[in-house]
Amino acid sequence: MNRHGGGCFRGAVSVLASVWQGSKLRKQATEFHRSDLRENRTKNASEDRRFREFTGRDQWRTRFTRATAELFDERSDEIRRRIALAALSQLGKLPWADKHDVEFVQEIAMMRYEDVREADL
């Protein structure tokens, strides 16, 4: 009996140690999972922001090209040219337009304005 009683005690201690280690491991796994979720949310937000910036910049370039083409197209009437000029003005205010883009938009607008003034004279 002594032999079985000691074995039961050791078995019970072993089970308790396993349960304790298992709960500790679950706690660590839960903490790791939460940390991973936080990291993924931050990473996804950053990727999302970069994607929106890239898409916005690409759309900006497309709109800039169309507005500039319309502004200098000889077949465009005055109303279409004014709309193109307004579009260029608004494009210069978007967050994707850096300092050089704004200067370029202003130069294009001035070129067109000077062309129109020379034609009127």
Side-chain angles (χ1 to χ4, degrees):
M1 180 165 177
N2 202 9
R3 203 170 163 194
H4 292 290
C8 278
F9 178 73
R10 276 183 257 157
V13 169
S14 179
V15 167
L16 287 174
S18 294
V19 168
W20 179 76
Q21 287 176 343
S23 67
K24 188 175 178 182
L25 184 61
R26 277 192 301 279
K27 184 178 178 183
Q28 288 173 344
T30 301
E31 207 40 52
F32 177 75
H33 179 67
R34 286 180 183 154
S35 171
D36 195 39
L37 286 175
R38 281 190 297 269
E39 184 179 315
N40 282 337
R41 275 194 296 261
T42 303
K43 182 180 173 188
N44 289 342
S46 177
E47 287 175 357
D48 211 27
R49 192 171 35 256
R50 275 185 265 155
F51 178 74
R52 280 194 316 265
E53 185 175 323
F54 174 77
T55 303
R57 183 73 181 160
D58 191 47
Q59 288 178 1
W60 188 95
R61 193 173 16 259
T62 300
R63 291 175 181 160
F64 172 81
T65 303
R66 287 180 183 169
T68 305
E70 191 67 41
L71 190 63
F72 288 96
D73 189 349
E74 296 299 323
R75 296 170 294 175
S76 295
D77 60 10
E78 188 60 28
I79 293 173
R80 292 180 74 104
R81 287 185 182 142
R82 285 184 184 205
I83 291 170
L85 194 56
L88 282 174
S89 174
Q90 292 302 312
L91 286 171
K93 296 175 184 175
L94 291 175
W96 296 283
D98 62 19
K99 177 185 170 190
H100 302 289
D101 294 332
V102 172
E103 290 172 358
F104 190 50
V105 166
Q106 290 171 345
E107 287 177 24
I108 288 173
M110 288 305 295
M111 283 173 45
R112 185 62 191 146
Y113 177 73
E114 289 170 4
D115 287 348
V116 170
R117 276 189 45 188
E118 288 175 8
D120 288 344
L121 297 177

